[in-house]
Amino acid sequence: MTAFDYTATPMRVRFGAGRLGEIAEEVDRLGLARVLVLSTPGHRQLAVDAAQLLGERAAGVHAGAVMHVPIASVEQARSAALSLRADCSLAIGGGSTIGLAKALALQADLPYLAVPTTYSGSEMTPVWGITQDGRKTTGRDPRVLPASVVYDPQLTESLPISTSVTSGINALAHAVEALYAPDTNPMVSLMAAEGARLIVSSLPAIAAHPRDPEARADALQGSWLCGLCLGGTTMALHHKLCHVLGGSFDLPHAPTHTVVLPHVLAYNAPAALAALAALRSALNAEDPALGLWELAGRLGAPRSLAELGLPHDALGAVVAEVGGNPYPNPRPVDHESLLALLERAWSGAAPTG
Ligand code: NAD
């Protein structure tokens, strides 16, 4: 029998259509009283609506969340929380907004509730990130886990098809790397297999009917499970590559995951046979890497780093940066194999091991 460790995350999850209406009750249950509602500038109205639902518990709205959590955005939110005497925040939005709430939890000891509207899964992980002087620093700290998460699939019905697809494949990437993580365990494997199945089965339905309530619920439930996998294991080559491509080359987060994942999966497949078996069944494909690449193509998602704006002459620098930092991976990676993988991802070629 294989030995393993498993740590459960302590937060409460409320899941279901219309459950945004329960945020006031959830704030009361937590013994909190003055909520600073956070969003990105583009989703201010969502935050205002949430503040209305909170009534007298709303201390104010701060629509200042920015992708990759620049330190200036954290300082502004922190001073808003201070001047409004907030005792917690509520992040309504995707990984960018949840990232700001995490930074406030870390730097200002402000607990928070998360209401995710994408499939990033950030709300399920103790991983935080803050960008300063062009560098994103990340770390793990249980204090950045939300006190409660309210998943309301109705909020995701407005997510454009293209964002839904790339965000869904971002979630799938967590499941893939959790299945072959050095610290995987039976609970993570179950969550990863079911999370991957839910994402893969719901994305075509969402692309056909973006407001399909069943498909939206399945995708959000899948993202919850995949997020738990991300929070509970150590990620490998795929997440390392995407971190470098996003952090140092400013590529968009979810589309980058979408392009890179089939190539890393194809590369790692011979060294990750149990993961491959689980993914064969979740993706209903004999070759999961090819199946995923074809699915992305059918759903109109980007399939090359070139179309995301990465210049070809940057590939060497990506290899150097990825190679310079150790990370676990089921199959050893050297300069040549990584460059060949990146060449395929850059040009949009089909994945091969
Ligand atoms: P995001 O929050 O920037 O949202 C992506 C896009 O979707 C934005 O344009 C946003 O305006 C739009 N959007 C969000 N909800 C919407 C809705 N309901 N309707 C219409 N449009 C909507 O990005 P993301 O992909 O959710 O998250 C990416 C960020 O999260 C990155 O910075 C990444 O590093 C971070 N992240 C962190 C973790 C972690 O564990 N710490 C995990 C995953 C992602």
PDB file of all heavy atoms in Angstrom, residues 29-44:
ATOM      1  N   ARG A  29     -23.263  34.430  10.145  1.00  0.00           N
ATOM      2  CA  ARG A  29     -22.810  33.145  10.702  1.00  0.00           C
ATOM      3  C   ARG A  29     -21.349  33.206  11.131  1.00  0.00           C
ATOM      4  O   ARG A  29     -20.941  32.613  12.120  1.00  0.00           O
ATOM      5  CB  ARG A  29     -23.000  32.032   9.662  1.00  0.00           C
ATOM      6  CG  ARG A  29     -22.845  30.624  10.210  1.00  0.00           C
ATOM      7  CD  ARG A  29     -22.839  29.603   9.099  1.00  0.00           C
ATOM      8  NE  ARG A  29     -21.653  29.684   8.276  1.00  0.00           N
ATOM      9  CZ  ARG A  29     -20.463  29.147   8.573  1.00  0.00           C
ATOM     10  NH1 ARG A  29     -20.303  28.488   9.696  1.00  0.00           N
ATOM     11  NH2 ARG A  29     -19.436  29.267   7.762  1.00  0.00           N
ATOM     12  N   LEU A  30     -20.559  33.982  10.361  1.00  0.00           N
ATOM     13  CA  LEU A  30     -19.130  34.093  10.657  1.00  0.00           C
ATOM     14  C   LEU A  30     -18.856  35.109  11.775  1.00  0.00           C
ATOM     15  O   LEU A  30     -17.711  35.293  12.183  1.00  0.00           O
ATOM     16  CB  LEU A  30     -18.365  34.502   9.387  1.00  0.00           C
ATOM     17  CG  LEU A  30     -18.326  33.449   8.266  1.00  0.00           C
ATOM     18  CD1 LEU A  30     -17.841  34.073   6.952  1.00  0.00           C
ATOM     19  CD2 LEU A  30     -17.416  32.282   8.656  1.00  0.00           C
ATOM     20  N   GLY A  31     -19.883  35.805  12.216  1.00  0.00           N
ATOM     21  CA  GLY A  31     -19.700  36.802  13.285  1.00  0.00           C
ATOM     22  C   GLY A  31     -19.017  38.062  12.782  1.00  0.00           C
ATOM     23  O   GLY A  31     -18.388  38.792  13.551  1.00  0.00           O
ATOM     24  N   LEU A  32     -19.151  38.338  11.482  1.00  0.00           N
ATOM     25  CA  LEU A  32     -18.524  39.532  10.911  1.00  0.00           C
ATOM     26  C   LEU A  32     -19.622  40.590  10.704  1.00  0.00           C
ATOM     27  O   LEU A  32     -20.815  40.274  10.681  1.00  0.00           O
ATOM     28  CB  LEU A  32     -17.829  39.180   9.598  1.00  0.00           C
ATOM     29  CG  LEU A  32     -16.696  38.151   9.776  1.00  0.00           C
ATOM     30  CD1 LEU A  32     -16.282  37.548   8.440  1.00  0.00           C
ATOM     31  CD2 LEU A  32     -15.488  38.803  10.460  1.00  0.00           C
ATOM     32  N   ALA A  33     -19.211  41.854  10.557  1.00  0.00           N
ATOM     33  CA  ALA A  33     -20.249  42.898  10.557  1.00  0.00           C
ATOM     34  C   ALA A  33     -20.070  43.968   9.487  1.00  0.00           C
ATOM     35  O   ALA A  33     -21.056  44.571   9.055  1.00  0.00           O
ATOM     36  CB  ALA A  33     -20.287  43.569  11.930  1.00  0.00           C
ATOM     37  N   ARG A  34     -18.819  44.240   9.081  1.00  0.00           N
ATOM     38  CA  ARG A  34     -18.607  45.343   8.126  1.00  0.00           C
ATOM     39  C   ARG A  34     -17.781  44.834   6.933  1.00  0.00           C
ATOM     40  O   ARG A  34     -16.578  44.616   7.037  1.00  0.00           O
ATOM     41  CB  ARG A  34     -17.904  46.531   8.804  1.00  0.00           C
ATOM     42  CG  ARG A  34     -18.817  47.243   9.817  1.00  0.00           C
ATOM     43  CD  ARG A  34     -18.167  48.489  10.362  1.00  0.00           C
ATOM     44  NE  ARG A  34     -17.874  49.480   9.329  1.00  0.00           N
ATOM     45  CZ  ARG A  34     -18.756  50.299   8.771  1.00  0.00           C
ATOM     46  NH1 ARG A  34     -20.037  50.231   9.122  1.00  0.00           N
ATOM     47  NH2 ARG A  34     -18.397  51.181   7.865  1.00  0.00           N
ATOM     48  N   VAL A  35     -18.470  44.678   5.797  1.00  0.00           N
ATOM     49  CA  VAL A  35     -17.871  43.989   4.642  1.00  0.00           C
ATOM     50  C   VAL A  35     -17.436  44.999   3.587  1.00  0.00           C
ATOM     51  O   VAL A  35     -18.237  45.835   3.141  1.00  0.00           O
ATOM     52  CB  VAL A  35     -18.893  43.028   3.992  1.00  0.00           C
ATOM     53  CG1 VAL A  35     -18.234  42.200   2.898  1.00  0.00           C
ATOM     54  CG2 VAL A  35     -19.560  42.145   5.029  1.00  0.00           C
ATOM     55  N   LEU A  36     -16.179  44.901   3.171  1.00  0.00           N
ATOM     56  CA  LEU A  36     -15.715  45.679   2.013  1.00  0.00           C
ATOM     57  C   LEU A  36     -15.866  44.778   0.788  1.00  0.00           C
ATOM     58  O   LEU A  36     -15.225  43.719   0.700  1.00  0.00           O
ATOM     59  CB  LEU A  36     -14.250  46.085   2.189  1.00  0.00           C
ATOM     60  CG  LEU A  36     -13.653  46.879   1.027  1.00  0.00           C
ATOM     61  CD1 LEU A  36     -14.341  48.235   0.886  1.00  0.00           C
ATOM     62  CD2 LEU A  36     -12.149  47.069   1.205  1.00  0.00           C
ATOM     63  N   VAL A  37     -16.718  45.172  -0.151  1.00  0.00           N
ATOM     64  CA  VAL A  37     -16.966  44.317  -1.322  1.00  0.00           C
ATOM     65  C   VAL A  37     -15.950  44.671  -2.407  1.00  0.00           C
ATOM     66  O   VAL A  37     -15.825  45.835  -2.813  1.00  0.00           O
ATOM     67  CB  VAL A  37     -18.408  44.493  -1.848  1.00  0.00           C
ATOM     68  CG1 VAL A  37     -18.662  43.517  -2.996  1.00  0.00           C
ATOM     69  CG2 VAL A  37     -19.423  44.262  -0.734  1.00  0.00           C
ATOM     70  N   LEU A  38     -15.229  43.646  -2.878  1.00  0.00           N
ATOM     71  CA  LEU A  38     -14.156  43.850  -3.873  1.00  0.00           C
ATOM     72  C   LEU A  38     -14.582  43.323  -5.238  1.00  0.00           C
ATOM     73  O   LEU A  38     -15.229  42.273  -5.330  1.00  0.00           O
ATOM     74  CB  LEU A  38     -12.901  43.080  -3.442  1.00  0.00           C
ATOM     75  CG  LEU A  38     -12.329  43.374  -2.064  1.00  0.00           C
ATOM     76  CD1 LEU A  38     -11.193  42.390  -1.762  1.00  0.00           C
ATOM     77  CD2 LEU A  38     -11.809  44.816  -1.990  1.00  0.00           C
ATOM     78  N   SER A  39     -14.174  44.035  -6.282  1.00  0.00           N
ATOM     79  CA  SER A  39     -14.381  43.551  -7.659  1.00  0.00           C
ATOM     80  C   SER A  39     -13.325  44.203  -8.546  1.00  0.00           C
ATOM     81  O   SER A  39     -12.576  45.072  -8.093  1.00  0.00           O
ATOM     82  CB  SER A  39     -15.786  43.929  -8.167  1.00  0.00           C
ATOM     83  OG  SER A  39     -15.836  45.325  -8.435  1.00  0.00           O
ATOM     84  N   THR A  40     -13.319  43.809  -9.813  1.00  0.00           N
ATOM     85  CA  THR A  40     -12.500  44.549 -10.790  1.00  0.00           C
ATOM     86  C   THR A  40     -13.311  45.788 -11.202  1.00  0.00           C
ATOM     87  O   THR A  40     -14.530  45.834 -10.990  1.00  0.00           O
ATOM     88  CB  THR A  40     -12.219  43.689 -12.042  1.00  0.00           C
ATOM     89  OG1 THR A  40     -13.475  43.235 -12.563  1.00  0.00           O
ATOM     90  CG2 THR A  40     -11.341  42.499 -11.726  1.00  0.00           C
ATOM     91  N   PRO A  41     -12.649  46.786 -11.827  1.00  0.00           N
ATOM     92  CA  PRO A  41     -13.398  47.984 -12.247  1.00  0.00           C
ATOM     93  C   PRO A  41     -14.557  47.626 -13.182  1.00  0.00           C
ATOM     94  O   PRO A  41     -15.637  48.199 -13.082  1.00  0.00           O
ATOM     95  CB  PRO A  41     -12.343  48.835 -12.961  1.00  0.00           C
ATOM     96  CG  PRO A  41     -11.029  48.360 -12.422  1.00  0.00           C
ATOM     97  CD  PRO A  41     -11.208  46.914 -12.078  1.00  0.00           C
ATOM     98  N   GLY A  42     -14.354  46.640 -14.063  1.00  0.00           N
ATOM     99  CA  GLY A  42     -15.390  46.269 -15.034  1.00  0.00           C
ATOM    100  C   GLY A  42     -16.615  45.613 -14.411  1.00  0.00           C
ATOM    101  O   GLY A  42     -17.664  45.540 -15.046  1.00  0.00           O
ATOM    102  N   HIS A  43     -16.475  45.106 -13.198  1.00  0.00           N
ATOM    103  CA  HIS A  43     -17.595  44.413 -12.550  1.00  0.00           C
ATOM    104  C   HIS A  43     -18.082  45.144 -11.301  1.00  0.00           C
ATOM    105  O   HIS A  43     -18.613  44.516 -10.378  1.00  0.00           O
ATOM    106  CB  HIS A  43     -17.225  42.959 -12.257  1.00  0.00           C
ATOM    107  CG  HIS A  43     -17.169  42.130 -13.505  1.00  0.00           C
ATOM    108  ND1 HIS A  43     -16.018  41.965 -14.227  1.00  0.00           N
ATOM    109  CD2 HIS A  43     -18.134  41.497 -14.198  1.00  0.00           C
ATOM    110  CE1 HIS A  43     -16.274  41.227 -15.301  1.00  0.00           C
ATOM    111  NE2 HIS A  43     -17.553  40.949 -15.312  1.00  0.00           N
ATOM    112  N   ARG A  44     -17.920  46.468 -11.304  1.00  0.00           N
ATOM    113  CA  ARG A  44     -18.381  47.280 -10.173  1.00  0.00           C
ATOM    114  C   ARG A  44     -19.866  47.014  -9.863  1.00  0.00           C
ATOM    115  O   ARG A  44     -20.254  46.891  -8.707  1.00  0.00           O
ATOM    116  CB  ARG A  44     -18.154  48.771 -10.459  1.00  0.00           C
ATOM    117  CG  ARG A  44     -18.813  49.671  -9.416  1.00  0.00           C
ATOM    118  CD  ARG A  44     -18.612  51.135  -9.736  1.00  0.00           C
ATOM    119  NE  ARG A  44     -17.271  51.571  -9.401  1.00  0.00           N
ATOM    120  CZ  ARG A  44     -16.871  51.901  -8.178  1.00  0.00           C
ATOM    121  NH1 ARG A  44     -17.726  51.872  -7.188  1.00  0.00           N
ATOM    122  NH2 ARG A  44     -15.641  52.285  -7.951  1.00  0.00           N
TER     123      ARG A  44
END
